Amino acid sequence: MKRKIILGAVMAIIIALAAFIYFRFYFVFGEGVKAGDLNFVVYKGYVFKTYEGRMIQAGFRGAQKGTANNTIQSYEFDFSIVDEMIADSLMHCGGKTVELHYKEYLGALPWRGKQKYIVDGIVSVR
């Protein structure tokens, strides 16, 4: 009887751990397209070499309470790239305006890249 309880508890812990790992690192939380000026794409890492990139998205921010001026604001979109062909294509697009398709995960894996946003396609380059 004791053995069945221990076995059941161990199985429940294993299933809970597997579910946690799946939802944290493999479940696609969201996906979409972002556009902006490609700042850089680099290949770096100590143990796991990954492709990392940054895109600058510029836009207008409305006047804040108590001020009359609109301001220009930029947002940095940091991402990782798993596909070597996509990374190579983006390395030749520095400074250009690009639209990138990405998937968002809840956590990053060292062999997938430093970011939770993974670019998996190039929609357009201008």
Side-chain angles (χ1 to χ4, degrees):
M1 184 67 173
K2 215 177 200 185
R3 189 175 211 176
K4 284 185 179 181
I5 293 173
I6 292 173
L7 183 62
V10 168
M11 290 302 291
I13 290 170
I14 289 172
I15 290 171
L17 184 62
F20 171 77
I21 290 171
Y22 171 76
F23 283 108
R24 178 77 179 170
F25 300 109
Y26 294 99
F27 175 74
V28 177
F29 178 68
E31 62 182 293
V33 175
K34 287 196 183 237
D37 296 328
L38 186 63
N39 194 355
F40 65 82
V41 173
V42 296
Y43 184 61
K44 66 180 183 177
Y46 292 111
V47 176
F48 297 104
K49 295 282 191 187
T50 59
Y51 293 97
E52 307 294 328
R54 177 176 292 155
M55 184 171 58
I56 308 296
Q57 298 175 290
F60 288 101
R61 189 166 92 187
Q64 299 295 317
K65 189 174 184 177
T67 65
N69 296 340
N70 291 335
T71 58
I72 294 177
Q73 144 187 334
S74 66
Y75 172 71
E76 294 178 349
F77 176 60
D78 292 321
F79 57 88
S80 297
I81 308 165
V82 177
D83 189 333
E84 189 174 337
M85 289 178 61
I86 292 172
D88 187 51
S89 296
L90 286 175
M91 283 186 176
H92 300 327
C93 296
K96 294 183 181 176
T97 300
V98 295
E99 286 183 66
L100 303 176
H101 185 270
Y102 70 94
K103 292 183 179 177
E104 179 182 359
Y105 296 91
L106 297 174
L109 291 169
W111 52 87
R112 191 168 61 195
K114 286 177 47 177
Q115 308 302 325
K116 63 182 185 175
Y117 298 102
I118 306 297
V119 168
D120 63 352
I122 302 169
V123 177
S124 70
V125 177
R126 288 174 270 169

